[in-house]
Amino acid sequence: MRCLIGVFPACRRLFVALSACVLGVTLAALPAPACAQAAQGWQASWTTALQAIPRVAVTPPLYQPPPVADRSVRQIIVPTLSGSEARIRLSNRHGTRPLVITGASIARSAVGAGIVPGTERAVTFGASRTVVLQPGMEMDSDAIPFAIARGVPVAISLASGAGNVMQAWHRIAGRVNYVSSEGNHVGDVSGAAFSIRYTQYAWVTGLAVTSRHANAVVAIGDSITDGLRSTFGANRSWPSVLATRLAAEGATPRGILNAGISGNRLLSDSPCYGDSLASRLEHDALALPGVHTVVVLVGINDINFATMPARQGLDCDYPHRHVSAADLIAGYRRVIAAAHRHGLRVLGGTLTPASLPPDREAVRLQVNRWIREGGGYDGVIDFDKALRDPGRPDRLQATYDSGDHVHPSDAGYAAMARAVPLSLLD
């Protein structure tokens, strides 16, 4: 981490914590546990990035959210960093009306919507079970005395107010989440009341734990970071596989966070696919607690969407903006500069093969040349090299192709995780 005391808040906090320990030992013989406690802090263990649900007169079925008014919503998340206390973040960032939560709990997840008996803990906000988030507001919960274990799923349950409407979500959750029949069911051990299933995340955008490991990696990008077309419910996105790899190899514990949004672009917002990465970077990646390194993999949709046909009604690919390699490189430079202002390391992922026609392939190759040789990033992860067919480098290897010639298979996502040089994360 670049540490300029007085410039970067994270560095100032680290400096103060270390100074307190040094002074305690030197001047007052402060016991070791107090120093260890001073180094503890909230570190991100899981995150997701939200996108506004399209607001159009006639919403296609694909974008219609489940009913949530006066019901309970139970969502399953998989932490990537262990800790003895937990804290969840609620978001109404994209909302246009108040979000009312009248109760919340966290528990170990069991089968389906069920939870492990005896593990439920109440979640409060400012010591209250009820919280009202005005439009644009976000809030962290109080500390929860609940042990989080890396890789062990937890269920977060929220009792939704009578006037609530789901206005934002992370559309590709890659797993099933649940909405109950009417009433407050946050304490139900059985999943019987949770009869509505949906495959998005909503309202909960983060889980943090108390840990001394302020070294999280956040991957931000599009569907190839989001894990689109990997095995549903199996946590096979490349960041998830990287987290498993680190644990298997006995690496230093760290949060591996996925801020990918399927369909996302570097330079353009979308009615369906969220704010541009350049505009959401600060909120979705740089401001997360304990982040040390950012991995950026984005640009293929910027290259492709200009050629998509315009659609009547909801046009998710709008704007159909033509971008050059120079446009993308300028955008990457802005992203890199923003990360450096926060004192964070930023790594660039090369754009993976997508069977593009020659004119668009030429843009991809120019961009990848700059990522590898331009010297802008602090390090490079060569995802293109890991996935491309040596005989036809504009295409994915057959084993790594999910079938659409753009998104990797499970084997492809695993190859991406293996391609990450662990030395770049330290």
Side-chain angles (χ1 to χ4, degrees):
M1 175 184 288
R2 292 172 172 79
C3 270
L4 300 179
I5 306 304
V7 178
F8 300 121
C11 297
R12 288 200 300 271
R13 289 194 296 270
L14 179 61
F15 179 79
V16 170
L18 293 176
S19 297
C21 285
V22 171
L23 290 174
V25 171
T26 305
L27 302 180
L30 196 65
C35 282
Q37 181 62 33
Q40 290 270 354
W42 289 109
Q43 317 299 343
S45 180
W46 175 89
T47 195
T48 196
L50 297 185
Q51 58 218 96
I53 297 173
R55 296 176 185 129
V56 292
V58 180
T59 306
L62 193 62
Y63 291 96
Q64 292 178 2
V68 292
D70 193 27
R71 298 171 186 264
S72 297
V73 175
R74 180 167 285 175
Q75 302 180 107
I76 314 303
I77 68 173
V78 181
T80 61
L81 180 67
S82 302
S84 58
E85 289 184 301
R87 185 179 76 182
I88 68 171
R89 170 162 288 193
L90 296 184
S91 176
N92 194 25
R93 184 169 178 246
H94 296 285
T96 61
R97 56 199 297 174
L99 170 63
V100 180
I101 301 299
T102 59
S105 71
I106 187 170
R108 289 285 174 91
S109 177
V111 177
I115 60 175
V116 176
T119 65
E120 183 213 356
R121 298 292 181 271
V123 178
T124 58
F125 298 83
S128 174
R129 292 294 297 268
T130 296
V131 61
V132 179
L133 298 185
Q134 296 300 327
M137 214 178 142
E138 298 185 306
M139 184 176 291
D140 290 322
S141 74
D142 301 326
I144 311 160
F146 183 89
I148 294 291
R150 189 210 71 79
V152 177
V154 297
I156 297 175
S157 304
L158 304 173
S160 174
N164 283 353
V165 174
M166 192 179 291
Q167 293 190 290
W169 58 17
H170 181 83
R171 186 169 163 266
I172 307 295
R175 66 173 55 253
V176 174
N177 289 310
Y178 306 90
V179 179
S180 75
S181 55
E182 291 186 357
N184 185 333
H185 294 276
V186 298
D188 288 15
V189 172
S190 166
F194 293 87
S195 57
I196 299 173
R197 300 184 176 195
Y198 71 110
T199 57
Q200 294 82 26
Y201 283 119
W203 302 337
V204 178
T205 60
L207 172 72
V209 299
T210 51
S211 173
R212 291 189 297 274
H213 300 290
N215 56 356
V217 176
V218 56
I220 188 166
D222 51 35
S223 55
I224 297 177
T225 294
D226 211 5
L228 188 65
R229 295 180 66 89
S230 62
T231 297
F232 187 81
N235 295 311
R236 298 290 177 83
S237 69
W238 75 259
S240 294
V241 180
L242 176 61
T244 301
R245 175 191 169 195
L246 291 173
E249 295 183 12
T252 301
R254 69 180 75 231
I256 302 294
L257 313 170
N258 192 331
I261 294 179
S262 293
N264 205 218
R265 284 179 276 185
L266 173 65
L267 302 175
S268 297
D269 299 342
S270 162
C272 309
Y273 307 138
D275 298 337
S276 71
L277 186 147
S279 62
R280 70 184 182 89
L281 175 76
E282 172 84 26
H283 178 273
D284 290 351
L286 306 186
L288 298 178
V291 167
H292 174 278
T293 301
V294 181
V295 180
V296 177
L297 174 58
V298 71
I300 206 71
N301 293 324
D302 295 79
I303 295 171
N304 262 338
F305 281 13
T307 64
M308 298 294 181
R311 293 175 173 83
Q312 294 293 324
L314 180 61
D315 185 357
C316 291
D317 302 330
Y318 178 84
H320 300 264
R321 173 185 174 186
H322 174 80
V323 299
S324 65
D327 293 329
L328 289 170
I329 290 166
Y332 297 139
R333 290 189 186 277
R334 292 195 296 273
V335 165
I336 293 165
H340 286 171
R341 285 194 297 271
H342 280 254
L344 304 181
R345 175 186 297 148
V346 56
L347 308 178
T350 51
L351 303 187
T352 53
S355 297
L356 299 175
D359 57 336
R360 280 178 268 163
E361 176 68 0
V363 176
R364 186 183 76 92
L365 293 177
Q366 289 176 58
V367 165
N368 279 352
R369 187 176 306 113
W370 181 84
I371 291 172
R372 292 186 183 104
E373 303 171 7
Y377 285 107
D378 299 315
V380 175
I381 304 173
D382 204 340
F383 293 131
D384 169 53
K385 182 179 179 181
L387 297 185
R388 70 191 180 208
D389 184 333
R392 301 195 67 176
D394 61 331
R395 299 188 178 191
L396 295 168
Q397 289 189 47
T399 304
Y400 296 156
D401 190 343
S402 67
D404 68 357
H405 312 311
V406 175
H407 296 93
S409 61
D410 285 359
Y413 285 124
M416 293 177 71
R418 291 193 301 271
V420 178
L422 299 189
S423 61
L424 292 180
L425 308 184
D426 294 327

